[in-house]
Amino acid sequence: MSRTNSSTHNTSTIGAIGAPSRRNTELGLLVFAVVIPVFAYINVGLAIDGEIPTGLLGYGIGLGLLAAVGHVVVRRFAPYADPLLLPLATLLNGLGLVVIWRLDQSPRLHAMAASRGNEFVAAAPRQLLYSAIGIALFVGVLLLLKDHRILQRYTYISMAASLVLLLLPLVPGLGRDVFGAKIWISIAGFSIQPGEFAKIVIAVFFSGYLMVKRDALALASRRFMGLYLPRGRDLGPILTIWAVSLLVLVFENDLGTSLLFFGMFVIMLYVATERTSWIVIGLGMSAAGAVGVATFAGHVKARVDAWLDPFGCYADSGACEQIGQSIMSFGSGGVLGTGLGQGNSDLIGFAANSDFIFATFGEELGLAGAMAILLLYGLIIERGLRTALAARDPFGKLLAVGLSGAFALQIFVVAGGVMGLIPLTGMTMPFLANGGSSVIANWALVGILLRISDTARRPAPMPASNPDAEMTQVVRP
């Protein structure tokens, strides 16, 4: 039975004192988060083979067990945590597994692997294993991180760790160049994308740093044309972050990580200081850096060219071909889509189940389905920001904002790139796309948000009794 407090009926995360735990609500939502992907799995099997997939029982039990383990640990170790975050992540993870399995059945992808002399390796079982590892890390976060404020002690260690993670792909013999981007490292036969983990570690550093420096950054400024401009000495942090993000972009050809890295800092800087001038300065520096690098870096320039005119270089450039096919997938889907398992987004090739998996959703579920997916992401971001509002300590507020901002930026750069709104970045859609690093890191991110929300929503302890009050009691005869 969940713990409840009858003194209040407030269901909002804000106003945390006395809030009910909502664990039974989470359990009910988790049932839907498992049942919906199971029905989607059946739908795909009927569309492709006309039969219910033989792996239905294993998939349903596997996803249900992962959800059950997550729920039991939250109920036991974070009883006042936000009730929506776990079901939303489970639903997205489950739908991602279904669509990755659907693409595994594509004869075109089998033929493509054969034409290259490779044996086709199904991605869905491996993704289910990565999801289990992600849940294990999620459980580890909730078990080991009793109070998120402990992370504040490791502010500068987090800075060093994040720099190491960002620069690891440049180490000779360790880093891997995959289609022009050096964002992977290979250890004992496993490929890891360190940038996915760096976004969490660097959020810890930004939170600890800005909590100490925010007064100097907010108050010591000069007014110019309606903007409060910081002093030159206070521009140091943002100039450093800008330079590091440019180095990542130049040497690793990783537009997504550099955008995520710099954008997250500017968002947290704005939240910490409430100065609009930081947003203006950040956007200006971001645009200047992107234009400068796109002019000289060949890989980034090809992606910008593909974004500007995807059909002009369709026959000559792989980047143009991919974005062109992605746009055609969205167009083919229309409003309601072709139906799960009945699209042709597998024509995009190897990237169909990673960078471009959102195009598969757009084609087979249509505009309505794509908007529903974005709404699920939006709810995760909204719950993260509500957690930040409810947090009682400035470090927790900044950390929740940073993690939610990083999640939102990643959704924007991936979905925007696949739909042709911005140049492609090479990042993966959280929880949906095939990729172990992404799903594991994002489960850890959700675990930290749940820990912050548990602290924020936990009822405040009763005030200690005042011994002086007992000494002044009036005793009637």
Side-chain angles (χ1 to χ4, degrees), residues 283-309:
L283 288 174
M285 294 174 70
S286 181
V291 170
V293 173
T295 305
F296 301 105
H299 181 74
V300 178
K301 186 173 185 303
R303 292 197 165 188
V304 173
D305 291 340
W307 168 57
L308 293 174
D309 188 6

Side-chain angles (χ1 to χ4, degrees), residues 302-334:
R303 292 197 165 188
V304 173
D305 291 340
W307 168 57
L308 293 174
D309 188 6
F311 297 104
C313 55
Y314 187 84
D316 306 322
S317 166
C320 289
E321 185 183 4
Q322 285 184 343
I323 186 63
Q325 288 172 341
S326 174
I327 292 172
M328 285 190 278
S329 293
F330 281 106
S332 301

Side-chain angles (χ1 to χ4, degrees), residues 19 29 35 54 119 178 186 281 295 305 316 324 354 407 416 452:
L29 292 173
V35 168
T54 54
E119 183 182 354
V178 180
S186 182
I281 294 170
T295 305
D305 291 340
D316 306 322
S354 52
F407 195 83
I452 300 172

Side-chain angles (χ1 to χ4, degrees), residues 5 10 64 87 99 101 119 140 169 219 221 231 252 266 290 342 376 438:
N5 189 332
N10 180 23
V99 174
W101 178 80
E119 183 182 354
L219 301 177
S221 57
R231 298 178 303 182
E252 298 184 10
V266 172
Q342 300 177 61
L376 294 177
S438 175

Side-chain angles (χ1 to χ4, degrees), residues 213-234:
K213 301 289 185 182
R214 58 178 179 170
D215 288 340
L217 292 168
L219 301 177
S221 57
R222 298 183 180 87
R223 188 176 174 84
F224 178 73
M225 295 180 67
L227 294 176
Y228 288 93
L229 299 180
R231 298 178 303 182
R233 74 181 79 168
D234 297 328

